[in-house]
Amino acid sequence: MVQLYNLHPFGSQQVVPCKLQPERFCGGGRDTLFVAAGCKVEAFTVVGQELCQPRCVFSTLGRVLRLAYSEAGISNETSQLESDDFVICQKPMELLGEKSKQSGISVTLESTGLADEKIKYFHVRHLLYRRFAPDISSCLLSDDVRLHSLQLLPIYQTGSLTSDRKNSSQEKVLLSLFCFFSLPHVGYLYMIVKSVELMSVYQYPEKSQQAVLTPQFLHVITSNNLQCYTVRCSAAAAREEDPYVDTTLKACPPISMDVCALRIQLFIGLKAICHFKNHVVLLTKADPETVPERRESPKRFLSRKDTSVNPKTPPVAEAGWNLYIVNTVSPVQLYKEMVDYSNAYKTAKTQSCIHLLSEAHLLVRAALMDASQLEPGEKAELLEAFKESCGHLGDCYSRLETQHSHLALPYYKMSGLSMAEVLDRVDWAVEDGSQKYERGLIFYINHSLYENLDEELSEELSAKVVQMFYVAEPKQLPHILCSPSMKNIDPLTAIKYLKKLDTSGFSSVLVTLAKAAMALKMGDLDMHRDEMKSHSEMKLVCGFILEPRLLIQQRKGQIVPTEFAVHLKETQPGLLVASVLALQKNNKIGIEEADSFFKVLCGKDGDTIPQLLVDFWEAQLVACLPDVVLQELFFKLTSQYIWRLSKRQPPDTTPLRTSEDLINTCSHYGLINPWVNVLISSESLVDKNYMEDLSKLQSLICGPSFDIASIVPFLEPLSEDTVAGLSVHVLCHTRLKEYEQCIDRLLERCPEAVIPYANHELKEENRTLWWKKLLPELCQRIKCGGEKYQLYLSSLKETLSVVAVELELRDFLNVLPEDGTAAFFLPYLLYCSRKKSLT
């Protein structure tokens, strides 16, 4: 189907002052037209709308049969071929791509003056084989089925709209290649990239003689008309360049869209056409039968003499010819005409309005793709037109009921319009007391409010948005109220609409939280408390999962806690931590984002860690989230425990969990070894918070998952001069199986903990340390006496009791000190000698 419009793609025309009737002609460079007649070629300069000026004339060795232009070293970017040797077959067939080799037609390259060694750089690639059958239902002349105007058209990327690649104007990247050919009554346009695909079929209203394809238009001549059709090359190239077109970010009119005829311009006696730059060159030649004969005046009377004289037959006038250059109007000018034309369809025919605006959009897009053709300053004008066309298409898809209304979003984004500017284009007038909002507009506003745009709507526009969603998408109302863009909404207005949702049977925890947030915004704490009490804490957490922006928003790429989150920090910190943990568990917030949130919320920056963040880390361990890196989390917690213990720094808020809670609920927190309690009790630790941090650190070290080696280098701030520091150091070195070193430290600092330590740690393969390490050490220290003599003596007795049980009498005697008092060791020796008989 070809849609017909009556636009004006053709501007002024010039007459080419060639001396002989042109037989061949072509354009070249930026401003040169070549015309061949017989054995001569004339060159003309074509600049602007002035008469083209002769540049030079040169002769050829023979009659010019073909004429083509190519830049140095590169009707060649576009090659137009024509042949009378096509074969008409009765059975139609189409073979695409490599299958076209099966046609049986052999193609050989023929040297045309090139050196033989250069021939190897050329090869044949089969693209398309198609044969046609004539329509035998009507009597057709052979000329009616003759193929003509075979043409290949490449489109290069020279600076793109949809790609981030930055190419210089000289650099060319082939985006797509197109193949066009025509019969007298129909033309075919194929896209040739990875495969061969039929894009468009052009039905001509009358018999065509020749056609030329450009990136923007298809120009076709008949005997008396110059016809201009739209093409889909820029749309196809855009999709080759970026396969993700028609997402929420970008869009392009479809390749399958109906082509349209922009203009059918009358020209008498059209014979040939070619195109270069912004010019269409036409050869016209009037047929002899169209030249009128001279007739005698009817008022003349013949005399008698005249009756005997035969009148002379007037000679047939020679056919007249002309060579014209028709300047195509600038893309921006034609674009503006198409936009004005589309206004007639806004209320009448939805698809026609979108179709014509899409044509205008593709016209501008095609011009921007061919940057080498643009004059200085023209590109900026085209870019502005491109954005404007995107805005017009956004308006169409947002206001008119179509199956593709979701395209309003990408077109509005490409237009560069702000959300406020889009809303200002909406007709808010109410007809018949009811307002209807189309799907496209709702889709655009909804997505824009979800994307955390750094744009705040005015109070007036915010109220209109609330009204719109209450009418069209009431379920989305709590969500859109949480958008940062709706910051300026009057809370009374928001609560009024939210209460209407309740009265209409639409009630949920999300509505409750939205009302609580608005109540907090206007300072009504009683209403806020009432709303929060209407649901259990578990349901409130579910509500925050449904809409994380109730707590956390992003502005200019930064995490910003809401007023709601600040209030929960002061009143319900446990609910806040549980909610953020649920958001992380449901992939609504990342690990680093959550850490940043708590730091900003508590007014901490740099390396200062608020207790609420420590509470969150502990909650992560309890919840055993799968995406959390355990060792990283262990490091965060132990570093914070160690820092606070070393600085005697209490937490800034009361911890949500005690060490006992964590031990009972989290497998990563282990039971603290019994000897640690003996060690700690040897010194008075009055500070409750200090004891809690110490217990949590000890418990984490005693847990099964902790990598001890990773934390040892960070123990330095925690001095062994305190029993707290000593307990942590000994725990770590014990986990590293450095038992002898630990025994030395305990004997030196806290002898009363040595036996409990040995009872718990010196088992199985470490049992030998009782007599190889502990017994000799105690004996040596008893000899030295001192204030700890009694403690050492008591520990020695406990050690001897264990050794007497573990060793045979001979072995027991061997480990006893040679200078010991026999009376002291005698009871243990007697037990050791009698234990065998007792067993």
Side-chain angles (χ1 to χ4, degrees):
M1 175 181 178
V2 177
Q3 301 205 23
L4 178 61
Y5 299 103
N6 191 28
L7 299 170
H8 301 84
F10 305 121
S12 62
Q13 69 183 39
Q14 311 168 40
V15 176
V16 182
C18 47
K19 297 176 181 178
L20 300 175
Q21 178 177 332
E23 297 176 359
R24 300 284 183 267
F25 50 91
C26 74
R30 297 189 64 86
D31 60 357
T32 308
L33 174 66
F34 299 95
V35 182
C39 298
K40 288 189 178 297
V41 177
E42 296 180 81
F44 299 89
T45 300
V46 183
V47 180
Q49 299 180 1
E50 301 175 358
L51 185 67
C52 58
Q53 300 295 326
R55 175 175 284 184
C56 66
V57 179
F58 57 90
S59 298
T60 60
L61 295 177
R63 191 180 194 85
V64 177
L65 300 179
R66 301 258 186 242
L67 196 61
Y69 177 85
S70 174
E71 296 288 344
I74 296 178
S75 316
N76 191 6
E77 294 183 13
T78 58
S79 61
Q80 183 170 343
L81 307 176
E82 186 175 340
S83 173
D84 297 328
D85 298 329
F86 289 98
V87 178
I88 303 300
C89 303
Q90 292 301 319
K91 183 179 179 183
M93 177 185 290
E94 182 178 75
L95 299 173
L96 305 178
E98 290 300 311
K99 289 185 178 179
S100 60
K101 290 181 180 179
Q102 302 171 12
S103 64
I105 304 296
S106 62
V107 180
T108 57
L109 291 174
E110 181 180 351
S111 175
T112 55
L114 296 173
D116 292 340
E117 62 271 13
K118 291 184 179 179
I119 292 295
K120 63 184 178 182
Y121 295 111
F122 296 88
H123 66 280
V124 175
R125 179 185 173 192
H126 292 263
L127 298 177
L128 168 69
Y129 175 80
R130 181 163 182 168
R131 64 189 184 193
F132 299 85
D135 183 2
I136 59 174
S137 63
S138 61
C139 296
L140 296 175
L141 300 176
S142 60
D143 281 349
D144 290 334
V145 292
R146 185 178 69 87
L147 289 171
H148 65 75
S149 304
L150 173 64
Q151 184 177 348
L152 294 178
L153 174 71
I155 286 188
Y156 298 97
Q157 175 189 312
T158 56
S160 161
L161 289 167
T162 58
S163 174
D164 295 333
R165 289 177 289 182
K166 297 180 180 178
N167 295 326
S168 65
S169 58
Q170 290 79 22
E171 183 181 1
K172 288 188 175 181
V173 176
L174 183 65
L175 283 180
S176 197
L177 182 64
F178 302 91
C179 176
F180 173 80
F181 59 89
S182 182
L183 278 77
H185 294 284
V186 63
Y188 299 89
L189 179 60
Y190 285 81
M191 177 171 59
I192 303 168
V193 191
K194 301 178 182 67
S195 60
V196 181
E197 177 184 350
L198 178 63
M199 279 177 50
S200 304
V201 177
Y202 295 86
Q203 300 284 348
Y204 312 132
E206 54 184 309
K207 179 182 174 183
S208 67
Q209 298 179 168
Q210 194 179 349
V212 290
L213 180 69
T214 75
Q216 295 166 307
F217 304 111
L218 173 67
H219 297 292
V220 180
I221 59 169
T222 64
S223 59
N224 293 317
N225 285 315
L226 169 61
Q227 302 175 5
C228 179
Y229 295 88
T230 57
V231 294
R232 303 287 166 259
C233 297
S234 59
R239 282 174 166 76
E240 283 301 317
E241 179 187 28
D242 187 351
Y244 299 104
V245 165
D246 293 341
T247 61
T248 59
L249 293 176
K250 58 195 81 171
C252 185
I255 300 173
S256 58
M257 188 172 64
D258 289 341
V259 297
C260 72
L262 296 182
R263 184 75 175 176
I264 298 180
Q265 185 77 38
L266 178 64
F267 271 92
I268 301 298
L270 285 169
K271 297 299 181 185
I273 182 174
C274 82
H275 178 276
F276 78 105
K277 307 308 176 188
N278 295 322
H279 310 290
V280 175
V281 185
L282 301 173
L283 174 63
T284 65
K285 182 178 180 182
D287 293 329
E289 59 269 19
T290 64
V291 179
E293 298 180 1
R294 290 186 180 180
R295 295 184 178 178
E296 296 290 339
S297 173
K299 295 183 181 180
R300 181 183 177 191
F301 294 94
L302 299 177
S303 64
R304 290 180 181 264
K305 292 181 180 180
D306 295 330
T307 58
S308 61
V309 177
N310 292 327
K312 293 182 179 179
T313 304
V316 177
E318 291 186 3
W321 60 267
N322 272 308
L323 191 64
Y324 295 103
I325 294 179
V326 179
N327 300 311
T328 54
V329 300
S330 70
V332 172
Q333 182 178 340
L334 183 55
Y335 158 77
K336 290 178 180 178
E337 184 181 350
M338 296 172 85
V339 171
D340 291 339
Y341 199 105
S342 70
N343 291 330
Y345 295 102
K346 276 191 175 180
T347 56
K349 296 182 179 178
T350 301
Q351 294 300 329
S352 293
C353 180
I354 292 178
H355 181 272
L356 190 52
L357 286 172
S358 297
E359 296 289 2
H361 177 86
L362 287 178
L363 175 71
V364 176
R365 185 186 279 270
L368 282 167
M369 281 186 169
D370 197 5
S372 61
Q373 303 290 325
L374 301 180
E375 298 295 332
E378 191 178 3
K379 183 172 183 180
E381 191 178 14
L382 280 169
L383 283 172
E384 190 61 33
F386 179 83
K387 290 181 179 180
E388 184 187 272
S389 74
C390 291
H392 289 316
L393 283 169
D395 291 341
C396 273
Y397 285 111
S398 68
R399 299 174 191 172
L400 303 175
E401 188 64 28
T402 75
Q403 60 179 337
H404 302 295
S405 56
H406 62 281
L407 292 176
L409 177 63
Y411 277 119
Y412 273 142
K413 283 187 177 180
M414 293 163 66
S415 73
L417 292 170
S418 66
M419 193 164 29
E421 290 171 327
V422 171
L423 289 171
D424 285 336
R425 297 158 75 107
V426 176
D427 182 9
W428 298 99
V430 178
E431 297 179 2
D432 302 329
S434 63
Q435 179 73 52
K436 183 181 180 183
Y437 302 100
E438 299 296 346
R439 291 180 301 166
L441 181 61
I442 295 295
F443 185 82
Y444 163 74
I445 297 295
N446 196 22
H447 271 261
S448 298
L449 292 174
Y450 262 102
E451 289 177 357
N452 297 322
L453 300 175
D454 295 326
E455 177 187 2
E456 294 180 3
L457 297 178
S458 66
E459 181 179 341
E460 180 185 5
L461 283 178
S462 297
K464 289 182 177 179
V465 169
V466 170
Q467 177 196 6
M468 179 195 306
F469 276 89
Y470 175 73
V471 173
E473 290 282 348
K475 290 184 179 181
Q476 292 297 325
L477 189 55
H479 293 285
I480 65 111
L481 285 170
C482 297
S483 170
S485 299
M486 298 288 286
K487 179 183 178 182
N488 297 320
I489 183 67
D490 177 23
L492 283 173
T493 301
I495 288 176
K496 179 183 73 173
Y497 282 104
L498 288 169
K499 285 183 176 179
K500 287 183 179 180
L501 292 182
D502 284 346
T503 56
S504 62
F506 180 78
S507 178
S508 70
V509 66
L510 187 55
V511 176
T512 296
L513 288 174
K515 287 193 292 184
M518 290 300 159
L520 196 63
K521 187 174 182 180
M522 63 184 183
D524 192 341
L525 295 181
D526 291 335
M527 180 181 175
H528 173 82
R529 279 192 294 269
D530 291 341
E531 294 293 339
M532 294 297 285
K533 288 179 182 177
S534 64
H535 291 284
S536 66
E537 184 171 295
M538 184 62 68
K539 279 196 172 182
L540 292 176
V541 170
C542 293
F544 288 124
I545 293 173
L546 291 174
E547 186 44 81
R549 293 177 297 178
L550 284 162
L551 299 176
I552 304 169
Q553 294 184 351
Q554 282 197 353
R555 292 178 188 167
K556 296 181 179 179
Q558 301 296 320
I559 292 288
V560 179
T562 63
E563 189 178 353
F564 204 159
V566 174
H567 185 73
L568 288 181
K569 168 184 171 288
E570 303 298 331
T571 58
Q572 294 176 277
L575 172 60
L576 179 62
V577 169
S579 300
V580 177
L581 185 68
L583 294 181
Q584 184 182 346
K585 190 172 184 178
N586 287 274
N587 298 319
K588 298 296 180 71
I589 188 173
I591 297 175
E592 293 182 2
E593 289 178 309
D595 287 2
S596 176
F597 166 76
F598 282 109
K599 284 186 179 182
V600 175
L601 178 66
C602 299
K604 307 292 183 182
D605 53 8
D607 296 330
T608 306
I609 306 297
Q611 173 57 38
L612 205 58
L613 180 52
V614 177
D615 292 329
F616 178 67
W617 290 341
E618 291 172 349
Q620 283 181 304
L621 274 185
V622 173
C624 297
L625 297 185
D627 60 333
V628 172
V629 180
L630 277 180
Q631 297 307 321
E632 184 178 340
L633 194 53
F634 288 149
F635 175 76
K636 290 179 181 178
L637 283 168
T638 52
S639 296
Q640 186 60 21
Y641 295 149
I642 289 170
W643 183 83
R644 292 208 298 224
L645 289 169
S646 64
K647 302 291 185 181
R648 290 273 179 171
Q649 181 74 37
D652 55 342
T653 58
T654 304
L656 295 178
R657 290 179 179 270
T658 65
S659 57
E660 185 178 357
D661 292 337
L662 292 171
I663 292 171
N664 291 333
T665 58
C666 180
S667 60
H668 299 297
Y669 284 88
L671 287 171
I672 300 175
N673 298 344
W675 58 266
V676 176
N677 296 325
V678 178
L679 179 60
I680 295 301
S681 62
S682 64
E683 185 176 308
S684 177
L685 297 173
V686 181
D687 190 343
K688 179 182 177 182
N689 287 325
Y690 186 86
M691 275 302 299
E692 279 297 314
D693 280 340
L694 180 60
S695 296
K696 289 177 180 178
L697 178 59
Q698 292 168 343
S699 174
L700 205 55
I701 295 173
C702 292
S705 311
F706 193 55
D707 180 13
I708 300 299
S710 65
I711 201 63
V712 169
F714 299 94
L715 293 177
E716 186 176 350
L718 199 57
S719 172
E720 292 189 48
D721 294 339
T722 63
V723 291
L726 179 64
S727 67
V728 173
H729 280 274
V730 173
L731 269 175
C732 287
H733 288 288
T734 298
R735 288 288 307 276
L736 295 173
K737 299 184 178 181
E738 298 173 354
Y739 302 106
E740 296 187 33
Q741 183 181 352
C742 294
I743 290 172
D744 289 337
R745 292 182 179 183
L746 291 176
L747 286 173
E748 184 65 33
R749 291 289 316 284
C750 187
E752 59 268 41
V754 167
I755 296 304
Y757 176 86
N759 280 327
H760 189 266
E761 306 295 346
L762 304 184
K763 298 176 181 178
E764 298 175 356
E765 70 271 12
N766 300 316
R767 202 73 173 168
T768 59
L769 292 178
W770 278 97
W771 52 88
K772 289 185 178 180
K773 175 63 180 177
L774 191 55
L775 179 61
E777 285 288 342
L778 287 170
C779 292
Q780 184 63 34
R781 291 174 187 270
I782 287 175
K783 289 180 184 178
C784 299
E787 60 181 13
K788 297 182 179 179
Y789 174 81
Q790 289 298 328
L791 289 173
Y792 291 141
L793 183 61
S794 175
S795 297
L796 178 59
K797 291 179 179 179
E798 292 284 344
T799 301
L800 286 171
S801 297
V802 172
V803 174
V805 172
E806 293 293 325
L807 296 181
E808 296 296 330
L809 181 59
R810 181 181 298 176
D811 295 330
F812 188 25
L813 287 170
N814 288 335
V815 300
L816 290 177
E818 295 179 356
D819 54 351
T821 305
F824 178 80
F825 295 106
L826 187 58
Y828 303 101
L829 287 168
L830 289 174
Y831 177 82
C832 187
S833 64
R834 295 200 318 235
K835 69 178 179 180
K836 191 170 184 180
S837 60
L838 289 174
T839 57

